Amino acid sequence: LSPDCSFTCHYRCRALVRLDCSGPPGTGDEDDGNEQVLEKDTNVDEPSEWEKTELDQAQVEQRIKEYNSQINSNLFMSLNKDGSYTGFIKVQLKLVRPVSVPATKRVPSLQAGRPHPQGVKRRTSFYLPKGTVKHLHILSHTRASEVIDALLRKFTVIDNPRKFALFERSEKDEQVYLRKLGDDEQPLRLRLLAGPSEKVLSFILKENETGEVNWDAFTLPELHNFLLILQREEEEHVRRLRHRYARCRQKMQEAL
């Protein structure tokens, strides 16, 4: 159990997890409880304003120049000879449920004279730290479904990619809008059309909400891990609540 981000992992699986837990607790996701969110077009029936925009080759080249002139980092977009372009997108992971990563246990072969081990695939589950962000270098024709696959590979997550969805987030008139991207939409194209501002457009990976969770679809080890994680989260939540009320009580007694 990490003291900084409350990430829980089996001690044998620590080497498989590549997460930066150096930040202070609660950073990057403190607005979840206060942010008023309106989910618009979650079934992707209507294209967004960016998706309706068509650009010819000259317009694409001009947009790339404008984009590169506005960013404050070296995450530039570059035009290729075939007319496509490459660049970076930043995706924030806001996952509520645990994810599964592989854990391989080597079991010696029972057949004499054949010493090579046989791998037995196992998995363990944990929560990704709040505010986890990943930059991906992609092509203009890279689809949203391919971005999801790449993110899962980066974190060695072995859950079915259909459990997740990529959302575009935008702010307008002090209101936050979320829209689920279709599998074939091209995130880098949306990034180019919207410009580099994260308020105008940013990307979030969330669970693909299709209804109630079917707990019967999980294996027994996964369910046991979920229960253990929930128990530790509950204990930590109770500890924080008691600490907060103890401080309030102390302040009142000092005032008295």
Side-chain angles (χ1 to χ4, degrees), residues 129-181:
K130 292 182 178 180
T132 299
V133 172
K134 190 67 180 177
H135 286 87
L136 292 177
H137 188 246
I138 61 175
L139 290 161
S140 54
H141 53 74
T142 301
R143 297 177 295 126
S145 59
E146 295 171 324
V147 169
I148 295 173
D149 291 338
L151 287 168
L152 298 184
R153 286 196 303 270
K154 290 283 186 181
F155 292 97
T156 65
V157 175
I158 57 177
D159 291 311
N160 191 326
R162 303 302 299 177
K163 291 183 179 180
F164 308 93
L166 193 65
F167 286 76
E168 69 172 23
R169 178 188 183 278
S170 58
E171 298 182 22
K172 186 178 181 180
D173 299 328
E174 298 183 356
Q175 175 67 61
V176 176
Y177 294 85
L178 288 179
R179 185 183 73 90
K180 185 168 73 173
L181 300 185

Side-chain angles (χ1 to χ4, degrees), residues 1-9 21 23-26 126-130 229 232-233 236-237 239-240:
L1 180 63
S2 168
D4 291 331
C5 64
S6 299
F7 143 71
T8 306
C9 177
C21 299
F126 67 92
Y127 285 98
L128 280 173
K130 292 182 178 180
I229 292 171
R232 290 181 177 178
E233 280 200 339
E236 176 64 17
H237 188 60
R239 186 191 66 80
R240 291 179 180 177

